Amino acid sequence: MTMLRVLILLICMIIAHAYRDSLLPEYRFSGSQYVKQVHKMQAFKESFAQRQSITPSQVSETQGSSRVFHVTSYGADPSGKNDSTTEILNAISDAARDPGNGILYKNIVNLGGARIDLDGGNYKISRPLRLPVAGRGNLMIQGGTLTASEDFPTDGYLIDLSDPSSSGLEYNYEYVTLKDLMLDSNFRGGGIQVIKSLRTGIDNCYITHFTSYGILVQGGHETYIRSSFLGQHITAGGDPGERSFSGTAISLSGNDNAVTDVVIFSAATGILISGQANTISGVHCYNKATGFGGTGIYLKLPGLTQTRIINSYFDYTGIVAEDPVQLHISSSFFLGDAFIVLKSINGVARGVNIVDNMFSGSGKGVDIVQLDERNRNFNDIDQVVVDRNNARGMNVKATVAIGTTNGNDANDTSWTVDLNQALLFPNRVKSVHYSLIAGGDTFPNHALRNVTDNRIVVQSNVPVQATISVIVDQ
């Protein structure tokens, strides 16, 4: 029995030893095979370690399929100490020269969402950043600060979306987005120029220290400026140098653009509009005050305005519209005696709605809507409605007015209701509704006799004590 146990134990030890040896590499591979396997393992370890050491910005450069171009990978200095113009332009050039993926609008190459990433740095540049070729689309520049150097051209723009070679394309670019950027022009020109481009987005940008335009849009269609802040000088209002503010924060010299949820905190003119069918919404203008010669929004397209201004805030600065045609201003707030001016160039005002706004002033007798007829009087007026506005400390002007006069003398045969303080246009009444309430037992005949100079005259055929109420529409 004892011998049997010893024999079984010996057999188990032999089997275990053989199993262990079968697991060792030198017993699985002979000679050169074993050495080759060891070299493969070492190469794999080195490759893995190398990949681990690559920064995220380098990954985009090493992977051929990536369309993210990190400017730091091109040597741009994110500290802003050294000029980074060439390095950033190289990144832009690589992105723009990508073969793309098909065509957007006519002859515009779809870059597939290529992105030039500023990696949250502050970069000094001495020349405008331009794409090397026109006819590109679906591209974004995002995430950092650009500051003009002391020798930046004074007629340039930090980002310039214009055709560098006069290619003659109908549109230079399509669907280019500029996002999460701070642009400091260093009083050396402008911020962004968009020329003849289609569907451009300027989103969450802070543009300052410009001398010409913060954003200039010429031609093209549908540049949307959203959630951005623009000011020539960085201030929060009440700046002692406000009288010297110059430049224009936004110029829209094109059609079908929109400015939404934008703050303009310093400039001589907040928004200059000389194109058709533009929309302004949720804008807060507290640039140069009207009293210092500033304007919140200037509509400089006589005879074909086609602009909607809604839900906006005009803070001590107002609106000027030349010969307005199809202009809508509503649901906006005017503070500090800010007002609206209709300026006559050729005497035209057609299809104008100024309704449902609030005005707050200082009690100095400032009219909420005014006429500038220094060039010539308005004589071509149609479908102009100024109504349902309310004012505190300012005079309400409207194209619709209600007036009443109470006659205390029983011998009166004529009553006059003067509406010049309430009506916008002088000596213009299109229709009048009136009522005469006579006292006593007399039942007179009466008629509307005159509306000259916005004075409504009602007469009766016999003396009577009466109250006259009128509703007038210009």
Side-chain angles (χ1 to χ4, degrees), residues 359-378:
F359 296 79
S360 179
S362 58
K364 296 179 181 178
V366 176
D367 295 336
I368 64 171
V369 182
Q370 301 178 17
L371 303 179
D372 181 348
E373 297 182 295
R374 287 175 293 180
N375 290 317
R376 61 187 300 176
N377 293 335
F378 281 102

Side-chain angles (χ1 to χ4, degrees), residues 247-323:
T248 299
I250 299 174
S251 176
L252 301 177
S253 183
N255 303 339
D256 310 328
N257 306 297
V259 180
T260 59
D261 301 322
V262 166
V263 174
I264 299 171
F265 53 86
S266 63
T269 302
I271 304 176
L272 175 64
I273 301 176
S274 54
Q276 303 170 23
N278 294 290
T279 301
I280 311 298
S281 174
V283 170
H284 180 192
C285 290
Y286 64 101
N287 53 295
K288 192 173 186 177
T290 299
F292 297 152
T295 306
I297 296 180
Y298 198 108
L299 300 159
K300 193 174 183 61
L301 189 67
L304 199 57
T305 312
Q306 294 180 332
T307 297
R308 291 138 291 164
I309 302 172
I310 58 176
N311 298 326
S312 293
Y313 177 14
F314 297 90
D315 199 341
Y316 284 79
T317 185
I319 298 173
V320 177
E322 295 184 353
D323 275 3

Side-chain angles (χ1 to χ4, degrees), residues 67 69 74 89-101 109-112 114 116 130-137 139 164-165 173:
R67 299 194 181 198
F69 300 83
Y74 289 79
L89 285 173
N90 286 339
I92 292 174
S93 180
D94 283 354
R97 294 188 187 282
D98 189 285
N101 183 22
V109 176
N110 180 5
L111 296 177
I116 296 132
R130 303 177 71 182
L131 274 68
V133 291
R136 296 295 185 268
L139 169 73
S165 58
Y173 306 103

Side-chain angles (χ1 to χ4, degrees), residues 324-325 346-351 377-382 384 425 428:
V325 172
N346 297 306
V348 178
R350 290 172 167 266
N377 293 335
F378 281 102
N379 50 35
D380 186 356
I381 304 168
D382 185 42
V384 176
F425 295 103
R428 176 181 171 84

